[in-house]
Amino acid sequence: MEKIGRNDACHCGSGKKYKKCCMEKDRRSGGPRRHIEPSQDEKLAMLNAPSSLDELMTRIGQMKWNQPSYRELAEELFPQLYEDYEYNETEKLFFFYNALIIWNGFCQKESPKFRKPGGFKAALDQLCTKALDIPVTQSELAAKYEVAATTLSKCSAQVNQFMEQLGKTG
């Protein structure tokens, strides 16, 4: 495991230096969690994408959610993305479903805190548009979800860090 330096960016994705952010908390808890192993169900689910928006919505309802707000975000966001982006339906559903699996795993393992869902909606939208190679700027996404660009950056960094941790163990 790679050691985090005091002056390195914090592993939580806040953008602050480690020494000004989570260093003390990590010392008290025995260190940062660095590696996350996706469950076998999560790995298999990513390969079995739904064939319609209705099926995607059914799967959202079938997933385990630690907080109703996490499920509600998914129920609001994914139909909106489906309507917003013209793309091959099979590929679009595949990428949206994988983003949903990432969101569900992130919520279960990280329990993100938010008052308004716009930051994480924008981060997931950014994840999908990058995967689909749809050109959209961070400023456009921030405006779409009525959040500051810095909020989008922070939320996106948290989700990206989670995905990097998955990649290190997969």
Side-chain angles (χ1 to χ4, degrees):
M1 181 163 72
E2 201 178 301
K3 185 175 178 184
I4 301 172
R6 291 173 45 84
N7 290 315
D8 290 343
C10 188
H11 60 82
C12 76
S14 68
K16 296 179 184 177
K17 287 186 177 184
Y18 181 55
K19 68 183 179 186
K20 296 282 187 183
C21 194
C22 293
M23 187 171 81
E24 190 57 37
K25 180 176 71 172
D26 288 346
R27 278 192 187 146
R28 288 191 304 266
S29 69
R33 289 187 333 190
R34 297 288 291 199
H35 299 290
I36 299 170
E37 178 64 32
S39 69
Q40 191 62 29
D41 288 343
E42 288 171 326
K43 289 177 183 177
L44 291 173
M46 287 184 179
L47 300 174
N48 189 19
S51 59
S52 68
L53 179 60
D54 288 339
E55 189 179 343
L56 178 68
M57 298 307 292
T58 299
R59 292 193 191 180
I60 290 171
Q62 293 170 341
M63 291 176 154
K64 178 185 176 225
W65 298 96
N66 295 344
Q67 298 286 330
S69 60
Y70 302 155
R71 178 186 41 78
E72 291 163 4
L73 183 149
E75 288 174 338
E76 293 169 8
L77 177 66
F78 288 99
Q80 179 184 350
L81 292 178
Y82 187 86
E83 296 300 320
D84 286 352
Y85 299 114
E86 294 293 323
Y87 208 83
N88 171 294
E89 184 160 348
T90 303
E91 288 184 51
K92 182 165 65 170
L93 286 166
F94 175 80
F95 287 118
F96 291 172
Y97 187 58
N98 281 284
L100 173 63
I101 297 291
I102 290 166
W103 173 243
N104 183 259
F106 175 71
C107 290
Q108 287 186 27
K109 292 180 174 89
E110 301 296 327
S111 299
K113 308 261 189 284
F114 56 87
R115 284 179 279 132
K116 297 179 183 178
F120 283 108
K121 283 183 176 181
L124 292 168
D125 192 330
Q126 186 176 48
L127 179 67
C128 291
T129 55
K130 282 184 180 179
L132 293 168
D133 202 26
I134 296 172
V136 63
T137 67
Q138 186 170 331
S139 297
E140 291 169 336
L141 288 174
K144 178 179 176 179
Y145 293 98
E146 299 177 348
V147 297
T150 56
T151 300
L152 168 55
S153 291
K154 179 182 172 192
C155 294
S156 187
Q158 290 175 19
V159 172
N160 287 332
Q161 180 182 15
F162 173 77
M163 291 189 316
E164 287 173 14
Q165 291 170 342
L166 284 176
K168 289 178 184 176
T169 61

